[in-house]
Amino acid sequence: GSGVGAALYRDLSRVAGIEKIEEFGQAEDLACNVEKMLKENKLKFGEIGLLGVCTGPGSFTGIRIGVSTAKGLAWGAQKPAIGVSTLEAMAYHGVAAGEGALVCAAMDARRSQIYNALFEIRDGKPRRLCQDRAISLAELGAELKKMQKSVFLVGDGAQLCYNTCLDMGIPAVLAPGNLVVQSAWGVA
């Protein structure tokens, strides 16, 4: 199922997080968990400087819940909010692959297609090489082959990309389980 998470950062350091909460039915569940996380860390919502939320690609329901919750919390507290690409958030897991790594963020779009963006790790952060897009696995494989570089794969479409890379002789590394899927810390 789709998961929802929340992360709390202070001065670029993780303070707390709730990851992969399954089967959210209502936005109130996410808001309650955010409130609980703040309370456990002795913080008030007014002390939060900025809210970030995934804006897609992803499940319509999950994005709707996340965006409406963030918008409601931001509006109520008169705080700024920013939308973050789900693929870009996932690309932060590629930092583990090291400086100069080519990171392929991929989400299964079905019918041998993926939602994808490519990044290179520079100065400890993913730098975008292309915009978010829907692309066939064959087209992506051809593009990666031309780059002549090992690729670090993240996202729920990573295994599909890995299989394509193997079939085409492209060196690829599948992110370990804890880094393969999106997380709230990547948004933060």
Side-chain angles (χ1 to χ4, degrees), residues 93-158:
H93 292 275
V95 171
E99 193 69 16
L102 174 62
V103 179
C104 176
M107 296 175 69
D108 188 358
R110 310 285 187 254
R111 297 186 180 136
S112 297
Q113 287 197 328
I114 55 167
Y115 298 114
N116 163 260
L118 298 174
F119 302 83
E120 183 178 16
I121 302 303
R122 284 190 235 139
D123 300 322
K125 292 192 272 194
R127 303 293 182 187
R128 191 177 277 282
L129 299 177
C130 68
Q131 293 302 309
D132 292 0
R133 61 199 176 166
I135 189 171
S136 74
L137 288 164
E139 287 175 286
L140 177 65
E143 186 177 335
L144 292 174
K145 191 153 185 94
K146 286 179 190 172
M147 297 177 103
Q148 297 184 335
K149 191 172 183 180
S150 180
V151 61
F152 187 80
L153 303 162
V154 297
D156 70 6

Side-chain angles (χ1 to χ4, degrees), residues 46-92:
E47 296 175 85
I48 299 298
L50 175 69
L51 284 95
V53 62
C54 275
T55 54
S59 89
F60 174 77
T61 301
I63 292 168
R64 183 181 54 80
I65 289 170
V67 170
S68 62
T69 301
K71 187 175 178 182
L73 291 171
W75 184 79
Q78 297 183 335
K79 298 290 181 179
I82 187 169
V84 176
S85 155
T86 306
L87 296 167
E88 187 170 351
M90 282 191 287
Y92 274 86

